[in-house]
Amino acid sequence: MPLKRKGPLQTLQRETDDIKKQVDALVRDVQQLDRTVGSAGLTEASQRCGDLQKSTEETMKTLKKLTKAEEPAPVGNYEQRKLDEERRLQTIQQQLQSLSVMLSVPQKPTQSEKVTPSASQDEESEEESEEEDEDDDEEKQTDFFVVVCTFVGEQEGDLTVQKGDFLRILTKNPDGWWLAEDSKGRKGLVPKTFLKVPQDQEEEEEDEDESDTEEEGEEQLEPTTKLRCGFETQPPDGAMNATDVLSAMGAIPAGFRPSTLSRMLAEGNTYRSSYYIQPELSQSQLAFKDLFWDSDTGNVRPRVARSSLMLTLWSCRMIPGPGVGVQVLSRHLRLCVFDGVKVLSNIHTVRACHSPKNPKMWTFSPRTAGILPSLLDGDCFVRSDSPSPDLGILFELGVTYIRNSTGERGDLSCGWAFLKLFDASGAPVPHRTHELNVNGGTPYERGVDVDPSISRRATGSVFHQMLASRKQPKLLVKLRLPSTKNRATLNLLPDSLVGSTCSIQLLALYRQVLADALVRDRPTIQNADLICNPVLATFKEVLDHTDLLDALRSAWAEKESTLRRSHKRDCELLKGLFVEVYMSTVFPLLWSPALPPAQWADEEQETLRWNAVFASATLGVRDGAGLSALLSVNPAQEAFDITQLMVSLSCNKCSSC
């Protein structure tokens, strides 16, 4: 019997398998690089990485040229298999790119490279020292530094230091590993990126080279945070001083930090839902990258993302709280899509509940229904199309506090957890309940405990260690696939978005209205005139205020309950009703002076605003009073602005349209 002939796609799959094996072997070698080889091994690993990158790129080009007609025998589901292979190659490319960055960063010297330099090296060092002495303005010769991040020695000759220790620098080696002496006279090597100039010394040198010092500090931080921690995050800013004060007072646990995700939310709209719900323009700026019209169905064309799943927040346990003198205004959890380097989605917030009888236990309220706030909804959806092999969900447990003595408000991180969505082979992690360890510090720190005192007690017998492990903070979450109905709705949303499950239908209706105005009804794709559509002009603002979105959700649920089953399948009818409900409920509230301003974690203000929102929204949807208020003789509205009605196509996810 003749052998079955292999098709081009099957041959390419085997080539990809071979490349994957070589990449896995390279990863293992790189992980052992510091302990087994020196600079020669680094060069060899870098060369192997480059060769694999070329092979992967050539294989990708070959794959894209393949067609079903080239197959010697029929292949079932050919296009899907080809797409799966393309995604596998993209994952390998991303992995090789990360390895290339890692290998390009100066590595830590091995023991053989830490010996006393030779005579020729001494001469070269003397020449370099003379050049440095000629130009002191380029680099300050500082003797004393403070440790900004705990470092545990990895090899003989390293110096283990704790955050806050003062060190005297004896030698500044060009490879980035400095010889230091601590207060007890112990000497050893420490990475310079873990050190900074003491605050008082910085103030003395501020007038001379403030800008140079900041630039140098940023350059020094980036390699270490990538290699040792896996996060490309800047170190805490001035808010850290307030946290240090509270820590010194014993008011907060040692593992608490200023909230990283809260700071990102406060810096602008880049990490808000309103930014990610907007369509993204293509490179030509003449069409959209993630919003297409399907003429066959008369609807938005569905887009299947790499990750599209449902997430249920269950509880957090053993989360310590602030001590005396600090009042907690809000306990909450913020989550986003993260790839170990940067945030890839909006940051979604869910408020937690707790009982005074068990203050270390945080719980969430899944499946919010009716007019209950979606801010309490522990059922979330996560959507991302990133090809990163390290794709996952970053969770940050936080509290908003106020100091009783000063009235100062702030946001603290009580710890963070990370749930990777794909394993080393690229397969999705199991869709089940996951118990995640909660780490202290910030996402760019490693090995920090929320409450270090628990770890110190975790010594002795195995039984005592098991008891101590049960006292460690944990986060309980459940991953599951969306239902058939939810999957179809999620495919109408942008490629990257995180939000509450109860808002999926509203977001999908908005995207359909958006496609009608921006794609279907445009005269030509080159037309970029202003579009008069108050829903599109203002919906993103509603999305950033959960109480307004809840009012719209409640009004829509009431309207939908009156529809027949056939009407619920009529897409054009649903879009028209959505616009009608929106205009009669939340649109008049956006510029109503009677609506109290939003104030996060202010219970009294939140209650006043909640009552005002739902009193107006309920009256509007039942009696049509919303539009009547806009057309009344003495309207109680703020001054009219053209941005309330007009949408521009010339911008790409900006805050002005």
Side-chain angles (χ1 to χ4, degrees), residues 150-192:
T150 298
F151 169 70
V152 179
E154 301 172 347
Q155 298 180 1
E156 183 180 354
D158 291 348
L159 178 63
T160 297
V161 293
Q162 302 294 325
K163 179 185 174 183
D165 290 351
F166 281 88
L167 302 179
R168 185 166 69 93
I169 304 302
L170 305 178
T171 304
K172 296 181 179 180
N173 299 323
D175 59 11
W177 289 86
W178 291 357
L179 181 61
E181 180 181 11
D182 63 12
S183 58
K184 297 181 180 180
R186 296 176 298 189
K187 300 179 181 179
L189 295 173
V190 295
K192 68 177 183 179

Side-chain angles (χ1 to χ4, degrees), residues 304-451:
V304 179
R306 184 190 180 204
S307 296
S308 185
L309 48 86
M310 314 303 287
L311 171 74
T312 299
L313 303 174
W314 286 124
S315 62
C316 311
R317 62 177 176 87
M318 301 310 296
I319 308 299
V324 179
V326 176
Q327 179 186 354
V328 175
L329 303 178
S330 171
R331 291 173 174 83
H332 47 266
L333 183 144
R334 303 190 193 276
L335 64 148
C336 59
V337 179
F338 196 76
D339 67 352
V341 178
K342 58 183 178 180
V343 173
L344 300 177
S345 73
N346 59 298
I347 299 172
H348 180 61
T349 304
V350 181
R351 184 165 287 174
C353 304
H354 88 292
S355 171
K357 296 181 180 180
N358 191 5
K360 292 188 176 182
M361 174 70 76
W362 294 12
T363 58
F364 302 93
S365 303
R367 295 177 177 86
T368 301
I371 61 172
L372 293 176
S374 57
L375 184 62
L376 302 175
D377 189 1
D379 263 0
C380 309
F381 69 87
V382 177
R383 185 170 161 85
S384 176
D385 203 38
S386 171
S388 171
D390 299 319
L391 191 71
I393 305 173
L394 175 65
F395 303 90
E396 185 190 70
L397 284 66
V399 296
T400 300
Y401 71 90
I402 183 171
R403 290 182 62 185
N404 297 333
S405 59
T406 62
E408 173 192 10
R409 289 169 57 106
D411 287 282
L412 288 174
S413 168
C414 305
W416 59 274
F418 183 68
L419 176 58
K420 197 172 180 180
L421 296 179
F422 297 91
D423 59 21
S425 64
V429 297
H431 297 104
R432 57 175 176 80
T433 300
H434 296 262
E435 187 179 64
L436 308 176
N437 292 322
V438 177
N439 308 285
T442 59
Y444 70 89
E445 292 181 272
R446 187 177 180 182
V448 179
D449 296 316
V450 175
D451 187 356

Side-chain angles (χ1 to χ4, degrees), residues 378-623:
D379 263 0
C380 309
F381 69 87
V382 177
R383 185 170 161 85
S384 176
D385 203 38
S386 171
S388 171
D390 299 319
L391 191 71
I393 305 173
L394 175 65
F395 303 90
E396 185 190 70
L397 284 66
V399 296
T400 300
Y401 71 90
I402 183 171
R403 290 182 62 185
N404 297 333
S405 59
T406 62
E408 173 192 10
R409 289 169 57 106
D411 287 282
L412 288 174
S413 168
C414 305
W416 59 274
F418 183 68
L419 176 58
K420 197 172 180 180
L421 296 179
F422 297 91
D423 59 21
S425 64
V429 297
H431 297 104
R432 57 175 176 80
T433 300
H434 296 262
E435 187 179 64
L436 308 176
N437 292 322
V438 177
N439 308 285
T442 59
Y444 70 89
E445 292 181 272
R446 187 177 180 182
V448 179
D449 296 316
V450 175
D451 187 356
S453 61
I454 297 178
S455 297
R456 286 196 293 269
R457 293 196 298 268
T459 57
S461 66
V462 176
F463 176 72
H464 286 90
Q465 293 180 12
M466 290 177 61
L467 289 178
S469 177
R470 294 183 61 184
K471 296 180 180 179
Q472 294 293 334
K474 303 284 186 179
L475 171 63
L476 201 64
V477 301
K478 182 179 181 180
L479 286 182
R480 67 181 190 279
L481 290 173
S483 63
T484 303
K485 179 181 179 181
N486 281 338
R487 184 184 299 112
T489 308
L490 285 174
N491 288 342
L492 304 179
L493 302 185
D495 293 345
S496 295
L497 193 67
V498 180
S500 175
T501 303
C502 64
S503 64
I504 291 178
Q505 187 183 14
L506 294 179
L507 299 179
L509 286 169
Y510 166 75
R511 290 277 290 183
Q512 292 169 7
V513 174
L514 193 68
D516 287 352
L518 303 187
V519 182
R520 186 191 67 179
D521 298 336
R522 287 174 62 192
T524 63
I525 62 172
Q526 291 83 11
N527 184 280
D529 294 341
L530 291 175
I531 298 175
C532 180
N533 193 310
V535 176
L536 304 187
T538 59
F539 183 83
K540 60 183 183 296
E541 298 182 30
V542 173
L543 202 59
D544 286 338
H545 296 282
T546 58
D547 51 3
L548 294 179
L549 190 62
D550 289 337
L552 178 60
R553 179 169 55 89
S554 177
W556 174 254
E558 184 175 345
K559 188 71 173 180
E560 192 179 32
S561 65
T562 64
L563 300 179
R564 297 178 181 177
R565 183 176 300 178
S566 59
H567 292 164
K568 294 181 180 180
R569 295 193 296 265
D570 189 335
C571 184
E572 291 298 323
L573 175 64
L574 291 178
K575 286 186 288 188
L577 290 177
F578 171 76
V579 173
E580 176 185 326
V581 172
Y582 181 89
M583 293 300 296
S584 63
T585 55
V586 298
F587 182 78
L589 284 170
L590 288 172
W591 297 279
S592 172
L595 183 65
Q599 178 64 50
W600 169 257
D602 187 326
E603 184 177 0
E604 181 180 356
Q605 188 79 352
E606 288 180 348
T607 302
L608 290 174
R609 183 178 167 90
W610 176 271
N611 293 333
V613 166
F614 277 89
S616 177
T618 303
L619 182 63
V621 73
R622 291 179 179 174
D623 304 331

